Amino acid sequence: MGKEKNTDNLSPEKIRKIRLKEERARLTDFQNKTAEAKLPVLVLVEGWAAAGKGSLIGKAIQQMDPRFYNVASLEVIREEDKRKPFLWRYFTQIPENGKFVFMDSGWFSQYADELLSKEADPQTCVKHLDSILSFERQLVDNGYLLVKVFLNISKEEQSKRQKALLGDEDTGWRVSTSDLEQNRRYKEYQETFNSCIAKTDRTYAPWHIIDGANKKDAELAFLQILNAEIEKALANRPGADSPLLKDHFPKNAVTPLADIPLADCVTTDKTYKSELKRLQKELRHLHNRLYRKGIPVIIAYEGWDAAGKGGNIKRLTESLDPRGYTVHPIASPLPPEKNRHYLWRFYNRLPRTGHIAIFDRTWYGRVMVERLEGFCSEKDWQRAFLEMNEFERDLTDWGAVVIKFWVQIDKDTQLQRFTDRQNTPEKQWKITDEDWRNREKWDLYEVAINEMLEKTSTTFAPWYILESVDKQYARIKALKIVIAELKKALGN
Amino acid sequence: MGKEKNTDNLSPEKIRKIRLKEERARLTDFQNKTAEAKLPVLVLVEGWAAAGKGSLIGKAIQQMDPRFYNVASLEVIREEDKRKPFLWRYFTQIPENGKFVFMDSGWFSQYADELLSKEADPQTCVKHLDSILSFERQLVDNGYLLVKVFLNISKEEQSKRQKALLGDEDTGWRVSTSDLEQNRRYKEYQETFNSCIAKTDRTYAPWHIIDGANKKDAELAFLQILNAEIEKALANRPGADSPLLKDHFPKNAVTPLADIPLADCVTTDKTYKSELKRLQKELRHLHNRLYRKGIPVIIAYEGWDAAGKGGNIKRLTESLDPRGYTVHPIASPLPPEKNRHYLWRFYNRLPRTGHIAIFDRTWYGRVMVERLEGFCSEKDWQRAFLEMNEFERDLTDWGAVVIKFWVQIDKDTQLQRFTDRQNTPEKQWKITDEDWRNREKWDLYEVAINEMLEKTSTTFAPWYILESVDKQYARIKALKIVIAELKKALGN
């Protein structure tokens, strides 16, 4: 803590003034230290309507340089938010390393509102709590400082403030009907807020209740909490270390890659042509139905270099309306991606309801290339199995169809295709030194991939193997699996 | 053109098949050449409802690698679009250098729909045409290949297709009421489309009409147009070279920087304190009214290093609700920004209606640092004066208040502040070698700035000088100007 002035014999107002000055200066200082330490800070400001959340954030950022923070106003749920999974509007707003994001209302109040809503589906509420808990734990585990405050005012105080706002036409619009409802049903809201706080209070992401009755006191309390949390985090960033059964996701038995028979997986040219046509036509029809029913679809492709991912994807998309799907080729992350939770860039590529997103390489890079090249720590990739399962669970909870393909070939086939690419001028751009380097690590990759398949083949998002020594066979198989999964989702 | 097969004595279907194959291969080839040449390609696909725009785009992208293109479906105008200026939804979608964007419907059909709408305001239509023309010209001038096609079908054909779509519940949703209206009022739409084509057909961005009666013929025509345009652009990218009166924006007389008296622009501490409080309070009230009336505000700060921009901005924002404003510090562009039209990153930072965006440094970097450091060609920055005027005209046409501040100090004051920063440990991060290097170029900057002030002080977005040797004086002056401009916009 900084040096504190001697405040004996001073009035409470004077003391508060001195403390405020100290805390403001500390925050200015901490923003620079936070940037140096590359610590990302997410400050969630929740509380009653008219409690003064906005002005609290306003006071804090006045001490900071605009390069170091963002304010995210998430009170209003927009059209686009409704077409994305629950966490999307929050996950896409998380700060970069070294920066602050102040969220004015977030997942906490959305969840509480759902509980209080008359039309809420209890099962959805249960799922959203799961999402919140894993989200907060993941943030902390991935190096984020998460500061959660709740700004509290009494029923009488809220009513008084709302009346004052409504008295002026320029501020009256700020009081929504649901704000007024909050005051009418104050007791009920209070119980729900309390229960939500209890459910989401964790040692690694504790709640701080701030009394909002007096604005200056609230500001001081907020700055003190913020500064204390930053100071602690700068000294020590231990991760959540939550007592979880890390393998608690149901898994399918998985055949190790080396034992997958490939030789018999062939198709004739004639069968291929007729099957392809028939299946593509069927897929096109299903795509229309998906769109109408608003079901989002995520198809993830992983596989050895030169296994035939690109061509396989092409056969899926060939018959689809381009306005309803997007193919996302995943390369190395750009700086704004690298400086955030590794799932952030995938959240930013999620489809809208009714749309299909196809990923050519995926978030599983975390437990393959990042693991093998040392781009993340062992702890990071060990933890990632659970994190990715949670990510996919959130997607399927949202109603998405998640299909994961591992495109499999043997080592000889890869060599043959590499050589072929090198010898064909139009294909040379497809083969790089990196491909050859990766090939040298085949056995290490095989260990990593087997572990990945075993730990992330969940009931809700299983892996499918596409035997692709005969690429035509793999394409037909992929189409059939996609069609079967879509039919299941459409209920026939 | 590639080698063409001898097609004597072949049926038209056979010939088409051969041509299609050739054109598809050419497009695959061109995508790589386009990437190498860093040519950005924007393909605008317009046409009648049910003409087959989507499938046309689908066929083209099948020949391409997903890394090289994006499809933007812009038929539906969303909630967010309506809170941004007319060009925003198009400008934010322009491709990076070396990449393609296929737009399914765009500014053309939005403009035509506005003309055909019964509630359309004629003056808005006139402004939008201005925006379209400057947008297209700017794209070409900034190195973009713009390919515009219109897919044409007859009234009977459209009616037949719509009936077929409506016959199946999985495709019926695709036919909107406005699509059906198009068929009912076919003749009227046709006249409007023709008139819009005539108004926007330019040598540097010509329209191509494609007959959509037969899908295969349409695909072939589309690929031929696309390939021919790419081939031409790869050989020669001359810019639009449009015959415009480059100085046709009304300008205010501007005092050269060196002649601006600074010495008398001072304020006492006492006046400053009371004025600041009073003005900030007034601004807070105006902010509420702006929000309610949905007026967007853009405040642009430029000025010498150490002139006091940051502190000035802080006094503006101090009293504002952080949910209603954002400060955008502008540094060097990131790669995705550098690889696009230089105004793209500012389009991405425009406020919503009712919000305030404050820019700490702005698009004027083009005619200051980029000009002086040679980051763009002379032709580029010469052209930029007009482009930035057009940008600001589009903003004010949208209803935005645009306020531009030049924060002025003299050379001695800068030296004093630089030295002070260097000698004060907490301020040292604010002073860099670059600041000293820029200072050496003071005279060159002065020439550039005087030209900028002269050429971009328009009636709709004038520059205001903030004399900032006395920073307190400059802050009070900025607040007064902002308040006056906001009052004007609010009608009192």
Side-chain angles (χ1 to χ4, degrees), chain A residues 113-311:
Chain A
D113 283 346
E114 282 170 1
L115 288 175
L116 284 154
S117 144
K118 268 133 200 164
E119 304 100 62
D121 164 33
Q123 209 168 350
T124 304
C125 292
V126 170
K127 287 173 180 172
H128 287 181
L129 182 59
D130 277 340
S131 300
I132 289 171
L133 292 174
S134 55
F135 177 48
E136 295 190 353
R137 197 196 69 246
Q138 283 199 28
L139 283 178
V140 177
D141 271 338
N142 283 277
Y144 284 72
L145 167 59
L146 176 57
V147 182
K148 301 189 294 189
V149 306
F150 186 95
L151 195 54
N152 192 37
I153 49 172
S154 67
K155 180 171 183 174
E156 294 66 36
E157 181 68 22
Q158 187 184 40
S159 169
K160 204 177 78 190
R161 292 188 188 181
Q162 287 181 338
K163 274 180 197 143
L165 288 169
L166 287 169
D168 178 343
E169 69 166 345
D170 288 323
T171 55
W173 55 265
R174 285 206 202 173
V175 184
S176 67
T177 48
S178 78
D179 290 349
L180 291 171
E181 166 122 346
Q182 223 183 55
N183 195 255
R184 260 196 314 276
R185 294 166 63 193
Y186 186 93
K187 190 99 192 86
E188 207 184 325
Y189 270 81
Q190 193 178 39
E191 282 163 8
T192 303
F193 286 153
N194 268 325
S195 126
C196 292
I197 285 172
K199 277 185 251 182
T200 56
D201 191 47
R202 290 290 181 279
T203 45
Y204 54 85
W207 277 105
H208 302 276
I209 314 290
I210 295 177
D211 182 351
N214 176 296
K215 294 222 162 188
K216 291 249 178 243
D217 287 340
E219 184 192 350
L220 179 59
F222 184 48
L223 293 177
Q224 282 170 334
I225 291 161
L226 204 51
N227 285 328
E229 290 275 0
I230 295 169
E231 187 167 46
K232 216 164 47 179
L234 286 173
N236 182 25
R237 290 159 74 182
D241 246 342
S242 186
L244 274 182
L245 308 170
K246 300 267 154 144
D247 291 325
H248 74 312
F249 281 94
K251 281 187 303 258
N252 293 332
V254 161
T255 315
L257 283 189
D259 298 345
I260 295 170
L262 295 170
D264 294 340
C265 297
V266 288
T267 184
T268 65
D269 280 7
K270 208 182 142 200
T271 320
Y272 173 66
K273 274 196 181 165
S274 67
E275 283 281 90
L276 185 68
K277 215 168 174 178
R278 183 180 66 78
L279 294 168
Q280 285 184 335
K281 198 175 162 190
E282 191 169 356
L283 182 59
R284 184 166 54 242
H285 285 294
L286 289 169
H287 193 203
N288 280 330
R289 293 182 55 202
L290 281 173
Y291 192 96
R292 188 163 63 90
K293 296 217 168 176
I295 298 174
V297 179
I298 291 138
I299 305 177
Y301 275 85
E302 288 287 357
W304 298 105
D305 290 330
K309 291 189 297 295

Side-chain angles (χ1 to χ4, degrees), chain A residues 355-384:
Chain A
H355 283 249
I356 301 179
I358 300 174
F359 290 89
D360 184 350
R361 302 207 179 278
T362 69
W363 42 99
Y364 284 98
R366 188 74 165 178
V367 294
M368 295 198 292
V369 59
E370 290 189 43
R371 167 180 178 173
L372 287 179
E373 300 292 338
F375 297 155
C376 64
S377 72
E378 173 161 358
K379 220 172 159 181
D380 284 336
W381 62 257
Q382 287 280 11
R383 208 180 49 234

Side-chain angles (χ1 to χ4, degrees), chain B residues 112-130:
Chain B
D113 284 345
E114 283 171 359
L115 288 174
L116 284 154
S117 146
K118 268 135 202 162
E119 305 101 62
D121 162 32
Q123 207 169 351
T124 304
C125 293
V126 170
K127 288 172 179 174
H128 288 181
L129 181 59
D130 277 340

Side-chain angles (χ1 to χ4, degrees), chain A residues 92-104:
Chain A
T92 52
Q93 297 281 351
I94 60 173
E96 270 188 90
N97 291 340
K99 303 212 170 163
F100 289 69
V101 163
F102 293 90
M103 264 187 206
D104 181 350

